[in-house]
Amino acid sequence: MNARDLDRHDADAPIFDAAAFRLGRGEADLIDSARRFGARVLAPRAALHDRDATFPIETFRDMHSEGLLAICIPEADGGLGASYRTYCLAAAELGRFCGATALSWNMHVSSTLWTGALADDLMMTVEERAEHNERRRLHYKRIVGDGAVYSQPFSEGGAAAAGGVAFGTEAKPVDGGFRVNGKKIFASLSGAADYYGVLCTERGEGEGASRRNTLYLAIPADAQGVSVVGDWDPLGMRGTVSRTLLFKDVFVPEDEMLMPRGVYFRAATSWPHMFLTLSPTYMGLAQAAYDFTVAYLRGELPGTPPVKRRMYPTKQIAVAEMRVTLEQTKALWFQAISEARANPTKDQVLRAYAAQFTVMENANALAAKAIRTCGGQAMLRSLSLERIYRDSRCGSLMLPWTAEICLDRLGRESLYEAGEKDE
Ligand SMILES: Cc1cc2nc3c(=O)[nH]c(=O)nc-3n(C[C@H](O)[C@H](O)[C@H](O)COP(=O)(O)OP(=O)(O)OC[C@H]3O[C@@H](n4cnc5c(N)ncnc54)[C@H](O)[C@@H]3O)c2cc1C
Protein backbone atom coordinates (compact mmCIF):
# COMPACT_ATOMS: atom_id res chain seq x y z
CA MET A 1 0.00 0.00 0.00
CA ASN A 2 1.53 3.38 -0.94
CA ALA A 3 1.19 6.56 1.11
CA ARG A 4 -1.76 7.86 -0.90
CA ASP A 5 -3.65 4.58 -0.48
CA LEU A 6 -2.96 4.74 3.24
CA ASP A 7 -4.46 8.26 3.42
CA ARG A 8 -7.51 7.07 1.55
CA HIS A 9 -7.80 4.13 3.89
CA ASP A 10 -7.71 6.45 6.92
CA ALA A 11 -10.52 8.62 5.56
CA ASP A 12 -12.59 5.48 5.02
CA ALA A 13 -11.83 3.99 8.43
CA PRO A 14 -14.63 3.31 10.93
CA ILE A 15 -15.47 6.28 13.18
CA PHE A 16 -14.70 4.13 16.24
CA ASP A 17 -11.61 2.01 15.70
CA ALA A 18 -12.33 -1.52 16.94
CA ALA A 19 -9.04 -1.94 18.81
CA ALA A 20 -8.95 1.57 20.32
CA PHE A 21 -12.53 1.36 21.57
CA ARG A 22 -12.27 -2.33 22.51
CA LEU A 23 -15.15 -3.49 20.34
CA GLY A 24 -15.87 -7.20 20.12
CA ARG A 25 -15.16 -8.99 16.85
CA GLY A 26 -18.83 -9.58 15.96
CA GLU A 27 -19.70 -6.00 16.90
CA ALA A 28 -16.90 -4.57 14.73
CA ASP A 29 -17.88 -6.77 11.77
CA LEU A 30 -21.49 -5.62 11.87
CA ILE A 31 -20.49 -1.96 12.10
CA ASP A 32 -18.07 -2.47 9.25
CA SER A 33 -20.72 -3.95 7.01
CA ALA A 34 -23.02 -0.98 7.77
CA ARG A 35 -20.18 1.40 6.82
CA ARG A 36 -19.58 -0.39 3.53
CA PHE A 37 -23.32 -0.42 2.81
CA GLY A 38 -23.47 3.33 3.51
CA ALA A 39 -20.60 4.09 1.12
CA ARG A 40 -21.95 1.82 -1.62
CA VAL A 41 -25.71 2.41 -1.40
CA LEU A 42 -26.53 5.57 0.60
CA ALA A 43 -23.85 7.96 -0.66
CA PRO A 44 -24.75 7.88 -4.38
CA ARG A 45 -28.49 8.35 -3.67
CA ALA A 46 -28.32 11.03 -0.97
CA ALA A 47 -28.25 14.16 -3.17
CA LEU A 48 -31.27 13.15 -5.25
CA HIS A 49 -33.56 12.42 -2.29
CA ASP A 50 -32.38 15.61 -0.60
CA ARG A 51 -33.09 17.71 -3.70
CA ASP A 52 -36.53 16.23 -4.34
CA ALA A 53 -37.48 15.59 -0.67
CA THR A 54 -38.36 11.99 -1.56
CA PHE A 55 -38.11 8.90 0.61
CA PRO A 56 -35.34 6.41 -0.33
CA ILE A 57 -37.62 3.38 -0.35
CA GLU A 58 -35.26 1.49 -2.71
CA THR A 59 -32.55 1.77 -0.03
CA PHE A 60 -34.90 0.19 2.52
CA ARG A 61 -35.50 -2.68 0.10
CA ASP A 62 -31.71 -3.09 -0.16
CA MET A 63 -31.46 -2.96 3.64
CA HIS A 64 -33.85 -5.88 3.77
CA SER A 65 -31.59 -7.98 1.54
CA GLU A 66 -28.58 -7.06 3.70
CA GLY A 67 -30.39 -7.97 6.93
CA LEU A 68 -30.14 -4.37 8.14
CA LEU A 69 -33.89 -3.98 8.71
CA ALA A 70 -33.54 -6.78 11.24
CA ILE A 71 -30.30 -5.59 12.88
CA CYS A 72 -31.84 -5.44 16.38
CA ILE A 73 -34.22 -8.36 16.04
CA PRO A 74 -33.02 -11.23 18.27
CA GLU A 75 -31.13 -13.99 16.44
CA ALA A 76 -33.72 -16.50 17.65
CA ASP A 77 -36.30 -14.57 15.60
CA GLY A 78 -34.14 -14.42 12.47
CA GLY A 79 -32.45 -11.05 13.05
CA LEU A 80 -28.82 -10.00 13.54
CA GLY A 81 -29.27 -9.59 17.31
CA ALA A 82 -27.31 -6.34 17.60
CA SER A 83 -27.08 -4.75 21.03
CA TYR A 84 -28.06 -1.14 21.71
CA ARG A 85 -24.44 0.00 21.42
CA THR A 86 -23.71 -1.96 18.27
CA TYR A 87 -26.79 -0.48 16.65
CA CYS A 88 -25.74 3.07 17.65
CA LEU A 89 -22.27 2.60 16.17
CA ALA A 90 -23.67 1.11 12.95
CA ALA A 91 -26.19 3.97 12.63
CA ALA A 92 -23.42 6.54 13.03
CA GLU A 93 -21.65 4.91 10.07
CA LEU A 94 -24.79 5.29 7.93
CA GLY A 95 -25.17 8.91 9.08
CA ARG A 96 -21.83 9.74 7.48
CA PHE A 97 -23.25 9.01 4.05
CA CYS A 98 -26.88 10.18 4.26
CA GLY A 99 -28.33 11.78 7.38
CA ALA A 100 -31.95 11.43 6.26
CA THR A 101 -31.67 7.71 5.52
CA ALA A 102 -29.88 7.05 8.81
CA LEU A 103 -32.52 8.99 10.75
CA SER A 104 -35.38 7.15 9.02
CA TRP A 105 -33.62 3.84 9.63
CA ASN A 106 -33.46 4.79 13.30
CA MET A 107 -37.25 5.14 13.45
CA HIS A 108 -37.62 1.65 11.99
CA VAL A 109 -34.90 0.00 14.09
CA SER A 110 -36.07 1.61 17.32
CA SER A 111 -39.37 -0.23 17.00
CA THR A 112 -37.43 -3.52 17.08
CA LEU A 113 -34.88 -2.40 19.69
CA TRP A 114 -37.53 -1.12 22.10
CA THR A 115 -39.54 -4.32 21.77
CA GLY A 116 -36.37 -6.45 21.74
CA ALA A 117 -33.23 -5.97 23.86
CA LEU A 118 -34.75 -3.06 25.77
CA ALA A 119 -37.97 -4.87 26.65
CA ASP A 120 -35.92 -7.93 27.72
CA ASP A 121 -34.38 -5.67 30.38
CA LEU A 122 -37.71 -4.48 31.81
CA MET A 123 -39.61 -5.96 34.69
CA MET A 124 -42.66 -7.86 33.41
CA THR A 125 -44.92 -10.43 34.96
CA VAL A 126 -44.69 -13.95 33.53
CA GLU A 127 -47.99 -13.36 31.69
CA GLU A 128 -46.86 -10.00 30.29
CA ARG A 129 -43.57 -11.52 29.10
CA ALA A 130 -45.32 -14.41 27.36
CA GLU A 131 -47.83 -12.07 25.69
CA HIS A 132 -45.06 -9.70 24.61
CA ASN A 133 -42.84 -12.42 23.16
CA GLU A 134 -45.71 -13.87 21.20
CA ARG A 135 -46.82 -10.53 19.77
CA ARG A 136 -43.38 -9.24 18.86
CA ARG A 137 -42.75 -12.43 16.91
CA LEU A 138 -45.54 -11.32 14.58
CA HIS A 139 -43.80 -7.99 13.88
CA TYR A 140 -40.38 -9.57 13.54
CA LYS A 141 -41.74 -12.11 11.06
CA ARG A 142 -43.09 -9.31 8.87
CA ILE A 143 -39.74 -7.52 8.94
CA VAL A 144 -37.46 -10.53 8.49
CA GLY A 145 -39.68 -12.29 5.96
CA ASP A 146 -41.35 -9.51 3.99
CA GLY A 147 -39.08 -6.53 4.57
CA ALA A 148 -41.86 -4.60 6.31
CA VAL A 149 -40.83 -1.09 7.32
CA TYR A 150 -41.98 0.44 10.63
CA SER A 151 -41.91 4.09 11.66
CA GLN A 152 -42.23 5.85 14.97
CA PRO A 153 -44.58 8.82 15.06
CA PHE A 154 -45.00 10.21 18.57
CA SER A 155 -44.78 14.01 18.10
CA GLU A 156 -48.08 15.86 18.23
CA GLY A 157 -47.09 19.51 18.44
CA GLY A 158 -47.99 19.77 22.15
CA ALA A 159 -46.24 18.85 25.41
CA ALA A 160 -46.76 15.07 25.06
CA ALA A 161 -43.65 14.26 23.00
CA ALA A 162 -41.47 16.00 25.61
CA GLY A 163 -42.98 13.63 28.18
CA GLY A 164 -45.04 16.30 29.97
CA VAL A 165 -48.60 15.08 29.44
CA ALA A 166 -50.48 12.09 28.01
CA PHE A 167 -50.53 11.70 24.22
CA GLY A 168 -53.53 13.38 22.61
CA THR A 169 -53.89 10.52 20.12
CA GLU A 170 -56.31 8.18 21.85
CA ALA A 171 -57.17 4.49 21.63
CA LYS A 172 -60.61 3.54 22.84
CA PRO A 173 -60.90 -0.14 23.80
CA VAL A 174 -63.47 -1.93 21.63
CA ASP A 175 -64.25 -5.55 20.89
CA GLY A 176 -61.03 -7.26 19.65
CA GLY A 177 -58.87 -4.15 19.76
CA PHE A 178 -58.94 -0.37 19.74
CA ARG A 179 -60.49 2.52 17.88
CA VAL A 180 -57.76 5.15 17.33
CA ASN A 181 -58.24 8.87 16.71
CA GLY A 182 -55.60 11.58 16.57
CA LYS A 183 -52.83 13.33 14.73
CA LYS A 184 -49.03 12.97 14.58
CA ILE A 185 -46.77 15.66 13.16
CA PHE A 186 -43.29 15.21 11.69
CA ALA A 187 -43.93 11.51 11.05
CA SER A 188 -40.77 10.37 9.26
CA LEU A 189 -41.47 7.66 6.63
CA SER A 190 -45.04 8.92 6.21
CA GLY A 191 -46.46 7.35 3.08
CA ALA A 192 -43.51 4.93 2.88
CA ALA A 193 -43.72 2.80 6.05
CA ASP A 194 -45.89 -0.32 6.12
CA TYR A 195 -46.69 0.16 9.82
CA TYR A 196 -46.78 3.28 11.97
CA GLY A 197 -45.59 2.52 15.54
CA VAL A 198 -47.91 4.99 17.23
CA LEU A 199 -47.77 6.10 20.86
CA CYS A 200 -51.25 6.89 22.10
CA THR A 201 -53.31 6.98 25.28
CA GLU A 202 -55.72 4.17 26.06
CA ARG A 203 -58.86 5.80 27.38
CA GLY A 204 -62.09 4.04 28.18
CA GLU A 205 -65.48 5.76 28.50
CA GLY A 206 -65.40 8.36 31.30
CA GLU A 207 -61.69 7.75 32.10
CA GLY A 208 -59.13 10.57 32.43
CA ALA A 209 -56.00 10.67 30.23
CA SER A 210 -52.86 9.36 31.93
CA ARG A 211 -49.28 8.83 30.71
CA ARG A 212 -49.35 5.50 32.54
CA ASN A 213 -51.92 4.31 30.01
CA THR A 214 -49.69 4.93 27.00
CA LEU A 215 -50.10 2.24 24.35
CA TYR A 216 -47.58 1.45 21.64
CA LEU A 217 -49.52 0.20 18.60
CA ALA A 218 -48.45 -0.85 15.10
CA ILE A 219 -51.05 0.68 12.81
CA PRO A 220 -51.00 -0.70 9.26
CA ALA A 221 -50.45 2.15 6.81
CA ASP A 222 -53.32 0.92 4.65
CA ALA A 223 -55.85 0.64 7.51
CA GLN A 224 -59.12 2.43 6.89
CA GLY A 225 -59.06 5.93 8.41
CA VAL A 226 -55.28 6.51 8.09
CA SER A 227 -54.24 9.46 5.94
CA VAL A 228 -51.08 11.43 5.23
CA VAL A 229 -51.56 15.17 4.82
CA GLY A 230 -49.56 18.39 4.42
CA ASP A 231 -46.46 19.09 2.41
CA TRP A 232 -42.81 18.51 3.21
CA ASP A 233 -40.28 21.10 2.13
CA PRO A 234 -37.93 21.58 5.11
CA LEU A 235 -34.41 22.97 5.57
CA GLY A 236 -32.77 19.60 6.14
CA MET A 237 -33.38 15.87 6.57
CA ARG A 238 -35.54 16.18 3.49
CA GLY A 239 -35.42 12.49 2.59
CA THR A 240 -37.22 11.55 5.84
CA VAL A 241 -40.51 12.83 4.36
CA SER A 242 -41.93 13.64 7.81
CA ARG A 243 -45.48 14.70 6.95
CA THR A 244 -48.59 14.71 9.16
CA LEU A 245 -50.54 11.53 9.91
CA LEU A 246 -54.24 11.56 10.71
CA PHE A 247 -56.11 8.69 12.36
CA LYS A 248 -59.89 8.81 12.09
CA ASP A 249 -61.73 5.96 13.82
CA VAL A 250 -59.01 3.50 12.82
CA PHE A 251 -59.67 -0.03 14.09
CA VAL A 252 -56.47 -1.64 15.38
CA PRO A 253 -56.57 -5.32 16.42
CA GLU A 254 -55.20 -6.14 19.88
CA ASP A 255 -52.38 -8.21 18.33
CA GLU A 256 -50.88 -5.01 16.96
CA MET A 257 -49.77 -3.99 20.46
CA LEU A 258 -45.99 -3.57 20.32
CA MET A 259 -45.79 -3.68 24.12
CA PRO A 260 -48.22 -4.92 26.76
CA ARG A 261 -50.30 -2.32 28.63
CA GLY A 262 -48.22 -0.13 30.93
CA VAL A 263 -44.87 -1.34 29.60
CA TYR A 264 -44.09 1.69 27.42
CA PHE A 265 -44.44 3.93 30.48
CA ARG A 266 -42.12 1.60 32.39
CA ALA A 267 -39.60 1.73 29.52
CA ALA A 268 -39.69 5.54 29.27
CA THR A 269 -39.12 5.93 32.99
CA SER A 270 -36.59 3.14 33.65
CA TRP A 271 -34.65 2.91 30.33
CA PRO A 272 -34.08 6.61 29.49
CA HIS A 273 -31.30 5.92 26.97
CA MET A 274 -34.05 4.74 24.62
CA PHE A 275 -34.37 8.41 23.66
CA LEU A 276 -30.67 8.75 22.85
CA THR A 277 -31.11 6.74 19.65
CA LEU A 278 -31.69 9.87 17.57
CA SER A 279 -28.07 10.90 18.18
CA PRO A 280 -26.09 8.29 16.13
CA THR A 281 -27.13 9.88 12.82
CA TYR A 282 -25.70 13.18 13.99
CA MET A 283 -22.49 11.54 15.28
CA GLY A 284 -22.05 10.36 11.70
CA LEU A 285 -22.74 13.84 10.32
CA ALA A 286 -20.12 15.31 12.69
CA GLN A 287 -17.55 12.84 11.35
CA ALA A 288 -18.62 13.57 7.77
CA ALA A 289 -18.07 17.34 8.22
CA TYR A 290 -14.58 16.67 9.54
CA ASP A 291 -13.71 14.13 6.82
CA PHE A 292 -14.91 16.51 4.12
CA THR A 293 -12.68 19.30 5.46
CA VAL A 294 -9.55 17.18 5.61
CA ALA A 295 -10.08 15.74 2.11
CA TYR A 296 -10.91 19.17 0.67
CA LEU A 297 -7.90 20.94 2.17
CA ARG A 298 -5.64 18.12 0.97
CA GLY A 299 -7.02 18.61 -2.54
CA GLU A 300 -8.35 15.05 -2.60
CA LEU A 301 -12.10 15.49 -2.59
CA PRO A 302 -13.64 13.67 -5.56
CA GLY A 303 -15.33 16.10 -7.95
CA THR A 304 -13.08 19.05 -7.07
CA PRO A 305 -9.81 20.18 -8.66
CA PRO A 306 -6.69 18.83 -6.89
CA VAL A 307 -5.89 22.19 -5.29
CA LYS A 308 -4.21 21.93 -1.91
CA ARG A 309 -5.09 24.46 0.79
CA ARG A 310 -3.58 22.70 3.77
CA MET A 311 -0.41 24.83 3.94
CA TYR A 312 -2.16 27.88 5.41
CA PRO A 313 -1.76 28.16 9.21
CA THR A 314 -5.36 29.36 9.62
CA LYS A 315 -6.63 26.18 7.95
CA GLN A 316 -4.42 24.06 10.18
CA ILE A 317 -5.72 25.78 13.32
CA ALA A 318 -9.31 25.33 12.16
CA VAL A 319 -8.77 21.61 11.53
CA ALA A 320 -7.04 21.26 14.90
CA GLU A 321 -10.05 22.84 16.61
CA MET A 322 -12.41 20.61 14.64
CA ARG A 323 -10.43 17.54 15.67
CA VAL A 324 -10.61 18.56 19.34
CA THR A 325 -14.39 19.02 19.08
CA LEU A 326 -14.79 15.71 17.24
CA GLU A 327 -12.71 13.74 19.77
CA GLN A 328 -14.59 15.30 22.70
CA THR A 329 -17.91 14.43 21.05
CA LYS A 330 -16.87 10.86 20.28
CA ALA A 331 -15.51 10.19 23.76
CA LEU A 332 -18.58 11.41 25.62
CA TRP A 333 -21.03 9.77 23.23
CA PHE A 334 -19.21 6.42 23.29
CA GLN A 335 -19.28 6.42 27.08
CA ALA A 336 -23.01 7.26 27.13
CA ILE A 337 -24.02 4.57 24.62
CA SER A 338 -21.83 2.02 26.40
CA GLU A 339 -23.57 2.49 29.76
CA ALA A 340 -27.18 2.41 28.50
CA ARG A 341 -29.17 0.05 30.72
CA ALA A 342 -32.30 -0.34 32.81
CA ASN A 343 -32.35 1.83 35.96
CA PRO A 344 -29.17 3.82 35.25
CA THR A 345 -27.62 5.95 37.98
CA LYS A 346 -28.34 9.67 38.11
CA ASP A 347 -24.84 10.37 36.75
CA GLN A 348 -25.43 8.06 33.82
CA VAL A 349 -28.67 9.83 32.95
CA LEU A 350 -27.08 13.27 33.19
CA ARG A 351 -24.22 12.02 31.01
CA ALA A 352 -26.75 10.81 28.43
CA TYR A 353 -28.34 14.31 28.31
CA ALA A 354 -24.87 15.84 28.01
CA ALA A 355 -23.97 13.41 25.21
CA GLN A 356 -27.17 14.11 23.28
CA PHE A 357 -26.67 17.88 23.63
CA THR A 358 -23.01 17.63 22.63
CA VAL A 359 -23.58 15.49 19.54
CA MET A 360 -26.52 17.53 18.27
CA GLU A 361 -24.87 20.92 18.80
CA ASN A 362 -21.37 19.89 17.73
CA ALA A 363 -22.46 18.20 14.50
CA ASN A 364 -23.80 21.53 13.29
CA ALA A 365 -20.90 23.53 14.77
CA LEU A 366 -18.45 21.30 12.90
CA ALA A 367 -20.39 21.64 9.66
CA ALA A 368 -20.48 25.45 10.05
CA LYS A 369 -16.76 25.57 10.70
CA ALA A 370 -16.12 23.26 7.74
CA ILE A 371 -17.89 25.72 5.45
CA ARG A 372 -15.96 28.70 6.78
CA THR A 373 -12.65 26.84 6.54
CA CYS A 374 -13.09 25.24 3.14
CA GLY A 375 -14.56 28.35 1.55
CA GLY A 376 -17.11 29.27 -1.08
CA GLN A 377 -16.44 26.56 -3.63
CA ALA A 378 -17.00 23.93 -0.95
CA MET A 379 -20.60 24.91 -0.29
CA LEU A 380 -21.90 24.39 -3.81
CA ARG A 381 -24.85 22.02 -4.07
CA SER A 382 -22.78 19.62 -6.17
CA LEU A 383 -20.87 18.69 -2.98
CA SER A 384 -22.13 17.08 0.19
CA LEU A 385 -21.06 19.70 2.74
CA GLU A 386 -24.03 22.05 2.41
CA ARG A 387 -26.39 19.06 2.86
CA ILE A 388 -24.43 17.96 5.94
CA TYR A 389 -24.79 21.52 7.26
CA ARG A 390 -28.56 21.63 6.70
CA ASP A 391 -29.18 18.08 7.99
CA SER A 392 -27.07 18.64 11.09
CA ARG A 393 -29.11 21.75 11.98
CA CYS A 394 -32.11 19.51 12.72
CA GLY A 395 -30.47 17.50 15.53
CA SER A 396 -31.07 19.87 18.41
CA LEU A 397 -34.80 20.11 17.56
CA MET A 398 -35.57 16.44 18.01
CA LEU A 399 -37.95 15.69 20.86
CA PRO A 400 -38.05 14.32 23.47
CA TRP A 401 -34.42 15.31 24.10
CA THR A 402 -34.03 18.64 22.30
CA ALA A 403 -30.90 20.66 23.10
CA GLU A 404 -33.01 23.01 25.23
CA ILE A 405 -34.67 20.20 27.17
CA CYS A 406 -31.28 18.55 27.80
CA LEU A 407 -29.92 21.82 29.22
CA ASP A 408 -33.06 22.37 31.26
CA ARG A 409 -32.82 18.92 32.88
CA LEU A 410 -29.05 19.03 33.32
CA GLY A 411 -29.27 22.31 35.20
CA ARG A 412 -32.20 21.38 37.39
CA GLU A 413 -31.17 17.81 38.16
CA SER A 414 -27.57 18.82 38.92
CA LEU A 415 -28.76 21.35 41.49
CA TYR A 416 -31.71 19.51 43.01
CA GLU A 417 -31.98 15.97 44.33
CA ALA A 418 -35.30 14.19 43.82
CA GLY A 419 -38.04 15.83 45.90
CA GLU A 420 -35.93 18.85 46.99
CA LYS A 421 -37.58 22.27 47.09
CA ASP A 422 -36.37 25.72 48.15
CA GLU A 423 -39.20 26.74 50.51
C1 LIG B 1 -36.26 15.92 10.29
C2 LIG B 1 -37.16 15.60 11.43
C3 LIG B 1 -37.69 14.33 11.54
C4 LIG B 1 -38.56 14.02 12.57
N1 LIG B 1 -39.09 12.76 12.66
C5 LIG B 1 -39.93 12.47 13.66
C6 LIG B 1 -40.52 11.18 13.76
O1 LIG B 1 -40.30 10.28 12.95
N2 LIG B 1 -41.37 10.95 14.78
C7 LIG B 1 -41.67 11.89 15.69
O2 LIG B 1 -42.42 11.62 16.57
N3 LIG B 1 -41.14 13.12 15.61
C8 LIG B 1 -40.28 13.43 14.62
N4 LIG B 1 -39.74 14.69 14.54
C9 LIG B 1 -40.29 15.73 15.41
C10 LIG B 1 -39.40 16.25 16.50
O3 LIG B 1 -39.00 15.24 17.38
C11 LIG B 1 -40.16 17.32 17.25
O4 LIG B 1 -41.35 16.80 17.76
C12 LIG B 1 -40.50 18.49 16.44
O5 LIG B 1 -39.35 19.02 15.86
C13 LIG B 1 -41.14 19.49 17.41
O6 LIG B 1 -41.38 20.65 16.77
P1 LIG B 1 -42.29 21.73 17.50
O7 LIG B 1 -42.02 22.98 16.79
O8 LIG B 1 -43.70 21.28 17.59
O9 LIG B 1 -41.69 21.78 18.95
P2 LIG B 1 -42.33 22.38 20.24
O10 LIG B 1 -42.97 21.29 21.04
O11 LIG B 1 -43.13 23.59 19.93
O12 LIG B 1 -41.05 22.80 20.98
C14 LIG B 1 -40.22 23.85 20.52
C15 LIG B 1 -38.99 23.85 21.35
O13 LIG B 1 -39.33 24.20 22.70
C16 LIG B 1 -38.60 23.42 23.61
N5 LIG B 1 -39.48 22.67 24.51
C17 LIG B 1 -40.59 21.95 24.20
N6 LIG B 1 -41.11 21.38 25.31
C18 LIG B 1 -40.31 21.77 26.33
C19 LIG B 1 -40.32 21.48 27.73
N7 LIG B 1 -41.25 20.74 28.31
N8 LIG B 1 -39.33 22.05 28.47
C20 LIG B 1 -38.37 22.83 27.91
N9 LIG B 1 -38.32 23.12 26.58
C21 LIG B 1 -39.28 22.58 25.82
C22 LIG B 1 -37.76 22.45 22.83
O14 LIG B 1 -36.44 22.89 22.75
C23 LIG B 1 -38.33 22.49 21.44
O15 LIG B 1 -37.34 22.33 20.44
C24 LIG B 1 -38.88 15.02 13.52
C25 LIG B 1 -38.32 16.30 13.42
C26 LIG B 1 -37.47 16.60 12.39
C27 LIG B 1 -36.90 17.98 12.32
Side-chain angles (χ1 to χ4, degrees):
M1 200 183 270
N2 63 33
R4 201 177 155 82
D5 285 339
L6 254 181
D7 291 339
R8 281 224 185 94
H9 174 76
D10 278 353
D12 279 350
I15 305 174
F16 292 88
D17 177 76
F21 287 88
R22 299 185 186 85
L23 306 181
R25 181 68 178 271
E27 187 173 29
D29 286 349
L30 234 171
I31 295 160
D32 207 47
S33 65
R35 184 173 60 82
R36 280 184 276 109
F37 182 81
R40 179 166 53 81
V41 180
L42 271 61
R45 297 173 181 171
L48 181 79
H49 290 293
D50 173 61
R51 191 194 66 199
D52 298 345
T54 48
F55 187 78
I57 191 67
E58 71 284 11
T59 299
F60 278 69
R61 302 286 173 249
D62 293 339
M63 283 175 169
H64 177 224
S65 330
E66 294 276 326
L68 286 172
L69 289 185
I71 187 169
C72 285
I73 292 179
E75 282 174 305
D77 292 304
L80 301 182
S83 68
Y84 173 95
R85 184 176 84 174
T86 306
Y87 160 65
C88 288
L89 294 170
E93 293 295 345
L94 291 195
R96 290 170 90 171
F97 302 103
C98 178
T101 307
L103 194 62
S104 302
W105 187 54
N106 173 70
M107 307 305 177
H108 167 85
V109 174
S110 289
S111 71
T112 62
L113 179 66
W114 290 6
T115 54
L118 198 148
D120 289 347
D121 248 9
L122 297 173
M123 293 283 286
M124 286 193 214
T125 63
V126 175
E127 295 76 35
E128 280 173 339
R129 180 75 64 199
E131 176 197 298
H132 178 61
N133 286 349
E134 194 180 319
R135 290 214 173 113
R136 74 180 183 183
R137 230 169 267 135
L138 170 81
H139 303 287
Y140 294 165
K141 217 167 132 210
R142 291 174 183 157
I143 295 170
V144 173
D146 310 332
V149 176
Y150 281 59
S151 75
Q152 211 174 42
F154 61 83
S155 298
E156 298 181 337
V165 298
F167 286 102
T169 301
E170 292 191 346
K172 190 173 162 207
V174 293
D175 216 16
F178 308 93
R179 192 66 67 185
V180 176
N181 281 284
K183 172 176 135 179
K184 296 287 180 184
I185 64 165
F186 277 92
S188 295
L189 299 92
S190 53
D194 301 293
Y195 295 88
Y196 299 120
V198 171
L199 275 320
C200 53
T201 307
E202 182 176 12
R203 197 166 173 192
E205 211 57 57
E207 246 185 282
S210 163
R211 286 172 58 219
R212 290 183 180 278
N213 296 335
T214 302
L215 281 184
Y216 185 22
L217 299 178
I219 303 188
D222 58 4
Q224 204 175 357
V226 176
S227 56
V228 180
V229 299
D231 62 354
W232 178 247
D233 189 13
L235 168 81
M237 292 295 183
R238 294 168 60 79
T240 60
V241 189
S242 309
R243 295 170 65 200
T244 297
L245 286 178
L246 298 180
F247 303 102
K248 175 95 181 77
D249 289 330
V250 180
F251 174 72
V252 184
E254 206 164 70
D255 272 352
E256 297 295 350
M257 286 169 77
L258 283 159
M259 283 179 174
R261 283 187 169 81
V263 173
Y264 174 81
F265 182 75
R266 227 172 287 163
T269 43
S270 63
W271 227 102
H273 290 74
M274 68 190 281
F275 300 123
L276 187 60
T277 57
L278 292 163
S279 63
T281 296
Y282 295 90
M283 183 67 248
L285 287 168
Q287 181 72 46
Y290 174 83
D291 290 344
F292 182 102
T293 308
V294 170
Y296 189 82
L297 297 180
R298 289 173 58 87
E300 291 174 348
L301 195 81
T304 58
V307 178
K308 292 191 198 313
R309 296 169 172 88
R310 65 182 175 185
M311 61 294 276
Y312 305 116
T314 44
K315 308 286 180 210
Q316 293 170 12
I317 288 287
V319 170
E321 288 170 347
M322 287 176 74
R323 181 77 189 211
V324 169
T325 303
L326 185 66
E327 293 291 351
Q328 289 169 338
T329 308
K330 283 174 62 175
L332 176 57
W333 186 71
F334 187 81
Q335 176 64 22
I337 61 167
S338 299
E339 60 192 13
R341 69 199 62 203
N343 306 310
T345 64
K346 177 177 170 179
D347 268 347
Q348 288 170 333
V349 176
L350 296 192
R351 200 155 31 245
Y353 295 148
Q356 169 96 353
F357 177 87
T358 301
V359 170
M360 299 311 204
E361 292 289 276
N362 285 359
N364 190 245
L366 283 165
K369 190 170 259 185
I371 290 180
R372 190 190 76 185
T373 306
C374 295
Q377 290 183 63
M379 58 111 224
L380 298 175
R381 279 203 196 273
S382 53
L383 302 178
S384 60
L385 183 56
E386 64 87 33
R387 187 180 73 247
I388 294 168
Y389 177 74
R390 287 183 289 104
D391 285 352
S392 63
R393 183 59 274 173
C394 299
S396 37
L397 318 178
M398 314 272 325
L399 285 170
W401 286 9
T402 65
E404 285 182 347
I405 290 179
C406 288
L407 284 184
D408 188 51
R409 292 188 185 167
L410 273 166
R412 197 174 51 247
E413 290 170 32
S414 299
L415 291 168
Y416 291 81
E417 293 304 325
E420 274 186 347
K421 290 205 172 95
D422 289 322
E423 302 88 278

